[in-house]
Amino acid sequence: MKPERIKEMFSDWRVLVLIILLVLSVIAIYPHFDSNGNLTTNLQYGLDLQQGAWLQLEFKAEVVGFTTNEPVDTFVANLSKDLDTDVVLVDASHVEIRKSYTQDQLTPYFASEGGTVISYQPGISSTTASLVKQILEQKINAMGTKDAKVNTITGLGGVTRYVRVEMAGVDMNQAQQIVGKQGKFEIRIQTANNQSEHVLYGDSITSVNVPSQSPAGSGNWGVGFTLSSDGAAVFQNASITYGATVDPADHKLTMLLDNQTVYSAPLSSELASSLQTQPTTQLFASTGTGTSGMNQATNLEIQLRAGALPVDVDIAGSGSTSASLGQQYLEMCLLAGILALIMVGFVIFYRYREPRIVLPMVLINASEILILLGFISVIKFQMDLPTIAGLIAVLGTGIDQLVVITDEILHEGIVPSPNVYLKRLSRALTIIMIAAATVLIAMLPLALMDLSTLTGFAIITMLGVVVGVVVTRPAYGRIIMEILSE
């Protein structure tokens, strides 16, 4: 190809856009050597490609549709008392019962309070699911677990039955220790004869600070936390009623998680004096000095942030990947991608027997994968086996569309005039856009539904279609025109 033709081709806006995206993608991926001399990138890998564990938790609750002639608030309050658990009104005709009951077990309870069960779905409401997700994310983040994901799995009726937690860099025992068990937090005050009385549950704690020293630089570690205004009033009243404000040493404050004591200490003299006259929302739990005090403060922060899961959970499923197996999967995926690209090249060469056509096709196909990897790196999307499958699927669908363009252009076996060429290219791109629209429509449900293991495949396939239609196909049409015109 003559230099002036090459210059003209690379000055075309379609080719320029492709080149710019390729450069930006390489920058985003940032291949480099780490301190150990190993080649690494900015790409993030999911549990399939590195060490990690996943847990699927099932909520022990149900959302029940009902009818009643009684006042709804009275009906719900009485039902909660009868069932000895929290019953939350979801809407005018549905309640969430935060304890595991069958429909047959609930029917007589509803009937005794003047209600009728009209529907029954195991699980929790979307509002409670969001709360559980937030609590689990706080607990996981507090543990410093990297690359963790919490996904609720919601059915078509809007009821969430499961939550799936994925954590990279931990084994199964650690994963179960972090999230596999429900945490209920409670504050009690010691009374007489080594007895104690309930004061608050974790839902009265509105925020928790990171471990700090108070006063700053004193070496005295602890965790500050904030009570709601109602919680602060209840705390003041309990402290006065049970004598903690006049005799703090004999009326210690005790914090429990799952009925296990995680912290116990008397009120400070300053706090005891202050509570005699006014409630306080800002509290500080001192844990001691030195490394031991700091470690205890870190653990207490986690327990405070855990607060209380609103419902019990069971482990419905679990799995893990070792570091060596994850590395093996990664190497096999890389090999599969390379082999797929090579096989595509052989098939195209067999079809056209023309290296001038084969090389641009393969390079355009590879550039599409590179652009997708760059985008994945920018949005910090975790690559797993379904994601890799999506990339390989993009290779296949991409080459199909390039064949459509090439066959349309070479319809009569010869290179057409520029005007005819543009008409044929336009017709080919129209066919490709219609095919791309069908792929997007087919993949959209997988991307939107709570099917976490297939979401990556759907998203990457959709992105590949968009990148192909908007960037690589028009660029290929311009490049192949110059090559075939020689």
Side-chain angles (χ1 to χ4, degrees):
M1 189 182 297
K2 296 179 181 179
E4 58 271 16
R5 298 290 296 274
I6 296 176
K7 183 178 180 181
E8 182 182 352
M9 181 180 69
F10 280 99
S11 62
D12 187 279
W13 68 270
R14 292 162 290 192
V15 179
L16 280 176
V17 169
L18 175 62
I19 294 173
I20 292 171
L21 285 179
L22 288 173
V23 172
L24 292 177
S25 296
V26 172
I27 294 174
I29 297 170
Y30 186 47
H32 63 283
F33 292 96
D34 60 18
S35 57
N36 296 323
N38 299 319
L39 181 64
T40 186
T41 66
N42 284 343
L43 293 171
Q44 297 186 6
Y45 303 109
L47 301 187
D48 297 334
L49 305 177
Q50 64 175 331
Q51 179 189 10
W54 63 268
L55 294 170
Q56 187 157 306
L57 308 178
E58 181 180 11
F59 298 114
K60 310 303 291 182
E62 49 277 335
V63 175
V64 181
F66 71 95
T67 59
T68 181
N69 294 323
E70 302 294 325
V72 174
D73 291 342
T74 302
F75 173 77
V76 171
N78 292 338
L79 194 61
S80 178
K81 184 178 180 180
D82 293 344
L83 295 173
D84 191 27
T85 190
D86 291 335
V87 177
V88 179
L89 188 65
V90 178
D91 55 40
S93 59
H94 291 83
V95 291
E96 176 186 279
I97 300 174
R98 294 178 173 177
K99 194 173 183 179
S100 182
Y101 286 98
T102 65
Q103 184 171 353
D104 290 340
Q105 290 173 328
L106 289 174
T107 299
Y109 286 105
F110 276 71
S112 66
E113 297 300 337
T116 304
V117 175
I118 60 173
S119 66
Y120 173 93
Q121 287 184 278
I124 58 178
S125 66
S126 57
T127 301
T128 305
S130 298
L131 176 61
V132 170
K133 181 178 181 180
Q134 182 180 2
I135 292 172
L136 289 174
E137 286 175 340
Q138 288 178 344
K139 182 185 288 189
I140 292 170
N141 292 335
M143 292 294 293
T145 304
K146 64 177 183 177
D147 298 339
K149 294 192 296 184
V150 179
N151 295 313
T152 54
I153 302 175
T154 305
L156 296 177
V159 176
T160 301
R161 188 170 182 178
Y162 301 99
V163 59
R164 181 183 172 96
V165 183
E166 300 177 0
M167 291 172 287
V170 301
D171 58 28
M172 182 56 64
N173 289 334
Q174 290 174 306
Q176 291 181 351
Q177 183 179 0
I178 294 171
V179 300
K181 182 180 178 184
Q182 184 217 3
K184 285 191 175 180
F185 189 84
E186 182 184 11
I187 297 178
R188 302 180 71 90
I189 286 183
Q190 182 181 354
T191 56
N193 300 322
N194 216 19
Q195 299 296 310
S196 64
E197 292 290 338
H198 167 75
V199 180
L200 297 170
Y201 284 117
D203 55 3
S204 294
I205 299 174
T206 60
S207 64
V208 181
N209 300 328
V210 297
S212 60
Q213 298 179 24
S214 180
S218 64
N220 180 40
W221 286 93
V223 180
F225 58 98
T226 304
L227 298 178
S228 64
S229 56
D230 291 341
V234 170
F235 183 77
Q236 180 199 23
N237 181 64
S239 299
I240 294 174
T241 301
Y242 300 122
T245 57
V246 295
D247 187 10
D250 290 332
H251 298 83
K252 291 183 178 180
L253 185 77
T254 303
M255 299 181 185
L256 301 97
L257 184 62
D258 292 335
N259 296 320
Q260 299 293 320
T261 300
V262 296
Y263 180 83
S264 181
L267 300 179
S268 67
S269 57
E270 295 84 358
L271 179 58
S273 175
S274 174
L275 288 173
Q276 290 179 348
T277 58
Q278 60 183 1
T280 180
T281 58
Q282 302 295 324
L283 299 176
F284 184 86
S286 179
T287 57
T289 59
T291 303
S292 175
M294 181 181 65
N295 292 336
Q296 290 182 45
T298 300
N299 291 332
L300 182 58
E301 179 203 7
I302 296 169
Q303 290 146 358
L304 285 168
R305 289 186 185 279
L309 287 181
V311 295
D312 292 331
V313 293
D314 281 343
I315 298 177
S318 62
S320 62
T321 302
S322 65
S324 58
L325 187 59
Q327 181 64 30
Q328 182 181 351
Y329 283 157
L330 183 60
E331 292 172 357
M332 291 175 63
C333 288
L334 181 61
L335 180 61
I338 294 173
L339 289 177
L341 200 59
I342 292 174
M343 291 304 298
V344 163
F346 275 122
V347 171
I348 296 303
F349 184 79
Y350 180 80
R351 171 73 176 81
Y352 294 105
R353 307 296 176 91
E354 176 57 68
R356 293 186 307 164
I357 296 177
V358 174
L359 189 59
M361 273 192 173
V362 172
L363 291 179
I364 286 291
N365 223 7
S367 68
E368 194 169 322
I369 300 301
L370 185 61
I371 292 172
L372 286 176
L373 290 175
F375 185 79
I376 289 172
S377 181
V378 169
I379 65 175
K380 300 187 182 303
F381 189 84
Q382 290 186 6
M383 293 181 60
D384 51 17
L385 291 180
T387 303
I388 300 295
L391 289 172
I392 295 175
V394 167
L395 278 175
T397 57
I399 208 68
D400 284 346
Q401 294 173 0
L402 296 180
V403 168
V404 170
I405 293 175
T406 306
D407 282 356
E408 189 68 29
I409 292 172
L410 297 177
H411 178 64
E412 298 174 349
I414 59 174
V415 180
S417 64
N419 288 335
V420 175
Y421 174 89
L422 291 176
K423 289 180 180 179
R424 291 181 178 178
L425 178 61
S426 176
R427 186 163 55 200
L429 291 177
T430 300
I431 296 172
I432 289 170
M433 290 179 66
I434 294 173
T438 61
V439 173
L440 291 175
I441 293 171
M443 290 293 109
L444 190 60
L446 290 180
L448 296 180
M449 292 177 67
D450 290 323
L451 301 172
S452 58
T453 55
L454 296 178
T455 301
F457 173 80
I459 291 176
I460 294 304
T461 303
M462 294 172 69
L463 286 175
V465 168
V466 172
V467 170
V469 170
V470 176
V471 181
T472 57
R473 307 295 175 263
Y476 172 77
R478 182 67 176 85
I479 293 170
I480 201 68
M481 173 184 173
E482 293 295 335
I483 292 175
L484 295 178
S485 298
E486 284 292 309

